[in-house]
Amino acid sequence: MNVALLQHTPEPEQTIALAARLCYSKVDIEALKERITGADIKSFLDKIMSLGHQSVLEHASFTFGIEGISRVTTHQLVRHRVASYSQQSQRYVSHTEQFDVVTPPSIAANPEHAKVFGAQIAAVHAAYAALVEAGVPAEDARYLLPNATHTKIIVTMNARELLHFFGVRCCERAQWEIRAMAIEMLKLVRPVAPTVFGSAGPGCLSGPCPEGAMCCGKMADVREFFRKL
């Protein structure tokens, strides 16, 4: 898996603070911009975050390039609808020469399981390549491709949606691959917007576990992990 932060709103926390200040100020935008200092930004954002006034976070956006993940993960990812996605097409990109897959750790750790998994992937690859070589369009041959197939995707989310995304997908109960991806994304945005994302992560970081009876039971370990992240 490779996760990169490709672009983001320049000075995202300044943009968010400016939008928030504007709601309560009579002065024009240019004068307001000149008044905002680094210390002012942090204290004001701390207040906004503590009050839950998060609509202004939508003015800052972040674009990620993600490679080496499976279709299992992108199927989960696109359920986050307040975002933009551009994914590698299996209709136009043929997999006859390259057919990489994500192997779950639970399978890779067991030689017998890995053997069964690998044999099935090889069989699917051979069938796919044979169909394409016989003239079947890639858009039809792709019906054979498994959820494990590697894919690439570019994702853009605003800061408010990212906080929600991290809250859900950094949780111990999230599926392992999307959780690993979410943690890598969080590592990339924290230095860029430390006040906004400094305490981002699963819901149990700031209160009781939102999973209730389904809690993982590792709240102390989870909090320590994200504190050191």
Side-chain angles (χ1 to χ4, degrees):
M1 179 188 301
N2 180 41
V3 182
L5 179 59
L6 303 179
Q7 300 285 344
H8 59 80
T9 300
E11 301 185 58
E13 295 195 331
Q14 180 182 17
T15 299
I16 294 168
L18 180 62
R21 280 289 192 196
L22 181 68
C23 297
Y24 306 102
S25 178
K26 293 182 179 180
V27 303
D28 62 62
I29 294 175
E30 196 59 37
L32 191 61
K33 185 177 178 181
E34 291 178 1
R35 289 185 184 182
I36 294 178
T37 64
D40 188 37
I41 289 172
K42 185 181 186 316
S43 62
F44 197 51
L45 289 184
D46 282 337
K47 182 177 181 180
I48 289 169
M49 300 296 289
S50 68
L51 294 173
H53 296 171
Q54 295 189 354
S55 64
V56 291
L57 299 179
E58 297 173 17
H59 293 290
S61 64
F62 301 79
T63 299
F64 303 86
I66 306 168
E67 298 178 298
I69 57 172
S70 70
R71 288 260 169 175
V72 168
T73 290
T74 56
H75 289 336
Q76 297 175 80
L77 177 61
V78 297
R79 293 174 190 164
H80 295 270
R81 294 185 295 276
V82 186
S84 298
Y85 305 101
S86 296
Q87 186 169 6
Q88 184 185 56
S89 171
Q90 288 184 335
R91 182 182 185 191
Y92 296 109
V93 179
S94 173
H95 289 272
T96 54
E97 295 182 2
Q98 184 174 356
F99 184 44
D100 295 327
V101 298
V102 173
T103 304
S106 62
I107 294 176
N110 185 302
E112 287 301 315
H113 295 170
K115 182 178 178 180
V116 172
F117 185 85
Q120 189 62 38
I121 294 298
V124 171
H125 188 196
Y128 174 91
L131 289 175
V132 173
E133 186 176 349
V136 174
E139 67 176 18
D140 293 335
R142 67 178 164 162
Y143 279 72
L144 281 173
L145 297 176
N147 278 337
T149 307
H150 270 198
T151 189
K152 306 173 186 178
I153 193 166
I154 288 179
V155 182
T156 300
M157 292 186 185
N158 65 52
R160 187 182 194 179
E161 178 61 15
L162 272 174
L163 285 176
H164 168 71
F165 175 76
F166 294 143
V168 175
R169 301 301 185 174
C170 287
C171 176
E172 279 286 318
R173 288 187 46 77
Q175 189 260 349
W176 65 268
E177 189 182 8
I178 197 168
R179 181 174 186 270
M181 184 188 74
I183 290 172
E184 291 305 307
M185 292 167 68
L186 177 54
K187 287 179 181 177
L188 292 170
V189 297
R190 267 193 177 175
V192 177
T195 306
V196 172
F197 297 113
S199 59
C204 65
L205 298 187
S206 57
C209 175
E211 294 292 316
M214 302 299 289
C215 179
C216 70
K218 300 184 287 186
M219 189 181 299
D221 292 338
V222 170
R223 288 177 172 176
E224 181 66 10
F225 174 84
F226 284 93
R227 186 184 69 80
K228 294 180 176 179
L229 192 66

